[in-house]
Amino acid sequence: MLKVRIDGMDGVRSRIQVEAPVERVEEEINAVARSYRKKLQIPGFRKGKAPLGLIKARFREALQNELFSEWVPKLYQEAIDQEGFVPVAQAEIEDLECQPGDPFHFTALVELKPNIEVTGYDDLQATRPVYKVREEQVDQWLARQQDRHAQIELVHRAAREGDVILVDLQRTDPGGIPIVGERMADQQIELGSGHSFGEAFDQQIVGAGEGEERRVELTGPDQKPVFFSVKVKEIHEKTLPELDDDFAKDLGFDTLPELREKVGAGIQARMDEASEEEMHSELVNQLIANNRFDAPQTMVENYLKSIVEEVKRRSSEDFNEKALREQERGSAIRHIKTHLILQGIARAEHISVPDEEIEDPIRKAAERSKTDFEALRDAMKEDGRWERMHSDLLEKKAMDFIVDHADIKEVVVDLEKSDLVVPASVADDLKAEREAEEIVLTE
């Protein structure tokens, strides 16, 4: 067992002093020396047969260098695991000492995840808003599905509201002279759909025929007039499918009433999730107020880095990385504080997550993907997904504990009179994969 001592330095980094006993030092030196001996041809001895003492004496500096490079990282990790420390940055190793017959010493300078002693979490108060799905919301979802499944047909008549038109747009000056670099070809626009060009555009284009070119005047963001020459290339009429049992069958249900019921249940489930999120947010606000501490800067920066990488992964468009980091910094600090507080509550209340609770969803994922369970589990342990799942489950249990011990009052919210915006969107296609921000309906 290693001797480990930790000292605070500047409130951020810690100095971890590690000592390995003499016996282990000798074992490691001998192992390195034996490895050297196999490769060396020393005069007077057959290759690989020189005395170990001679190898250690003649190549002491080289042996120590190899010992430092190979063994120190392992000892550092062993010390971290032994003491239960969680580093949040790469350690700096210094003060290595290895004298014959003495223990091996080194010091690691590293920022550790702090263990927060949380107070004021067993008598909180919060409101759980109760939302009830309305028929209008079901109607809106069904209308979106009708729109997605609409038939588009090329027609040869004047453009009407609701038509989908294909146009070339050329921005001009007030006199009608084209502005170089301000041309947008083959733009598809649905008249009356609330598109980015606005209602004024629709009013000036409705009635235009195929091949006709019109001059359009709009109002820019600075409230100044903006001029376009718009050429209508094609006009398409959109026909919505009838909202009946056949439509329901196309979406995987037997009847329209059954579809409406499933849609309502799906929206209600998402509303219930939103209700829980609002209640949790209120509780977290109180926990942060009751426990004042600075979020470790490295953890904040690591979190911001993960956001930037996720945006890069999801979008091919360029974006201002610095601006994104500053925009998300407040939420990053809140996220890190919430994480540390919930982890602290879990420690204080001896909340744990058995391996079985992590393995169950992994086993199901392995069955769905026809992957070997043990191989998937080991891969997840290797790449950090196991630890993230453990952390998420632990924090969920900690939040459940807080809710169980809090004074929660339910308040019915009238969505027609409330300013609250409640997520009520659903997956565009019942056969699509689950997306985090949408509701998925199941039979």
Side-chain angles (χ1 to χ4, degrees):
M1 187 173 181
L2 301 175
K3 290 184 179 180
V4 181
R5 191 179 76 187
I6 182 169
D7 298 315
M9 288 177 58
D10 52 13
V12 176
R13 291 199 302 174
S14 298
R15 183 188 298 275
I16 302 175
Q17 298 182 15
V18 181
E19 177 184 306
V22 176
E23 298 78 14
R24 287 192 61 180
V25 177
E26 287 301 315
E27 289 176 7
E28 292 296 326
I29 287 285
N30 288 339
V32 175
R34 280 192 292 270
S35 176
Y36 260 61
R37 181 169 60 178
K38 293 177 181 179
K39 310 172 196 174
L40 295 174
Q41 178 69 63
I42 297 178
F45 301 96
R46 285 182 297 163
K47 185 176 181 180
K49 297 299 182 179
L52 205 58
L54 177 62
I55 300 294
K56 290 163 66 175
R58 183 173 293 187
F59 300 100
R60 178 171 186 78
E61 184 175 348
L63 294 175
Q64 282 194 353
N65 289 338
E66 185 163 333
L67 181 68
F68 292 162
S69 64
E70 298 290 335
W71 197 34
V72 169
K74 296 177 183 178
L75 285 178
Y76 168 72
Q77 189 59 51
E78 183 180 336
I80 290 295
D81 294 341
Q82 175 182 303
E83 301 299 319
F85 299 147
V86 181
V88 296
Q90 190 73 25
E92 296 178 23
I93 305 298
E94 62 178 30
D95 299 337
L96 293 92
E97 297 180 20
C98 185
Q99 298 299 326
D102 289 341
F104 177 43
H105 300 267
F106 69 89
T107 300
L109 308 180
V110 63
E111 184 176 355
L112 300 176
K113 180 193 287 189
N115 289 334
I116 305 299
E117 300 294 332
V118 186
T119 61
Y121 61 84
D122 53 0
D123 58 351
L124 303 176
Q125 297 181 344
T127 298
R128 179 189 281 113
V130 178
Y131 304 113
K132 296 298 182 183
V133 64
R134 305 192 317 274
E135 286 301 308
E136 295 93 320
Q137 291 172 293
V138 176
D139 292 339
Q140 290 168 6
W141 188 89
L142 292 172
R144 289 196 295 272
Q145 293 302 307
Q146 281 181 287
D147 189 72
R148 276 181 53 81
H149 292 78
Q151 297 295 318
I152 306 295
E153 181 182 0
L154 179 66
V155 293
H156 303 284
R157 56 164 173 74
R160 303 170 183 167
E161 185 169 323
D163 286 344
V164 178
I165 60 174
L166 185 69
V167 299
D168 289 340
L169 298 102
Q170 172 64 62
R171 188 173 175 185
T172 70
D173 65 12
I177 304 300
I179 299 175
V180 176
E182 294 287 337
R183 176 177 170 79
M184 294 176 283
D186 295 332
Q187 299 296 300
Q188 195 174 70
I189 299 173
E190 181 179 346
L191 299 176
S193 65
H195 54 78
S196 60
F197 289 101
E199 185 179 349
F201 179 93
D202 297 343
Q203 292 172 348
Q204 297 172 72
I205 292 298
V206 165
E210 183 179 337
E212 184 176 345
E213 191 166 346
R214 288 192 176 185
R215 188 166 183 266
V216 172
E217 179 179 341
L218 305 175
T219 302
D222 57 0
Q223 302 305 307
K224 294 181 180 180
V226 180
F227 301 94
F228 286 94
S229 174
V230 181
K231 182 176 181 179
V232 180
K233 300 172 72 173
E234 294 179 359
I235 301 171
H236 298 260
E237 182 173 295
K238 184 163 71 172
T239 304
L240 300 180
E242 291 293 327
L243 200 57
D244 54 19
D245 289 348
D246 288 336
F247 179 75
K249 286 183 172 65
D250 288 341
L251 295 181
F253 296 88
D254 292 332
T255 64
L256 181 61
E258 181 188 1
L259 173 60
R260 292 188 65 90
E261 180 184 351
K262 293 295 184 180
V263 170
I267 295 175
Q268 185 63 59
R270 184 63 189 94
M271 285 180 156
D272 292 343
E273 291 176 10
S275 173
E276 290 294 301
E277 290 168 5
E278 291 184 41
M279 178 187 66
H280 289 170
S281 180
E282 188 177 346
L283 292 168
V284 166
N285 289 342
Q286 296 173 60
L287 288 167
I288 292 176
N290 293 344
N291 297 272
R292 303 284 184 176
F293 63 92
D294 293 329
Q297 191 62 27
T298 300
M299 295 183 72
V300 173
E301 292 302 326
N302 287 343
Y303 185 78
L304 291 172
K305 181 181 177 181
S306 69
I307 293 176
V308 170
E309 290 175 348
E310 181 67 11
V311 172
K312 288 180 179 178
R313 187 181 67 82
R314 292 193 176 199
S315 175
S316 59
E317 297 182 4
D318 292 334
F319 64 96
N320 188 323
E321 183 174 326
K322 182 178 179 181
L324 177 63
R325 284 176 174 272
E326 290 311 307
Q327 174 186 320
E328 297 297 324
R329 186 168 298 277
S331 62
I333 291 172
R334 176 183 172 84
H335 174 87
I336 296 302
K337 287 187 173 184
T338 303
H339 165 73
L340 293 174
I341 287 172
L342 292 177
Q343 293 277 333
I345 293 172
R347 279 193 307 276
E349 299 300 332
H350 307 291
I351 298 171
S352 62
V353 178
D355 285 354
E356 294 77 14
E357 293 186 24
I358 306 175
E359 290 178 344
D360 284 346
I362 296 176
R363 196 181 303 278
K364 292 176 182 177
E367 291 173 356
R368 287 195 302 270
S369 61
K370 295 180 172 55
T371 303
D372 180 71
F373 161 69
E374 292 185 355
L376 179 58
R377 180 196 60 194
D378 293 345
M380 294 180 71
K381 288 184 176 181
E382 183 69 24
D383 63 20
R385 284 178 291 170
W386 175 282
E387 183 58 35
R388 288 194 294 273
M389 289 180 66
H390 179 275
S391 180
D392 290 345
L393 286 170
L394 189 67
E395 290 173 28
K396 181 182 182 303
K397 287 188 173 186
M399 180 57 75
D400 289 343
F401 176 90
I402 294 166
V403 172
D404 289 343
H405 291 79
D407 180 12
I408 306 296
K409 295 181 179 178
E410 292 191 345
V411 176
V412 177
V413 178
D414 185 344
L415 292 177
E416 292 184 327
K417 299 179 180 179
S418 173
D419 292 331
L420 291 174
V421 178
V422 180
S425 60
V426 294
D428 289 331
D429 190 328
L430 293 177
K431 299 174 184 177
E433 294 181 354
R434 175 182 294 275
E435 294 184 9
E437 68 275 15
E438 295 182 327
I439 296 169
V440 173
L441 308 180
T442 56
E443 294 188 69

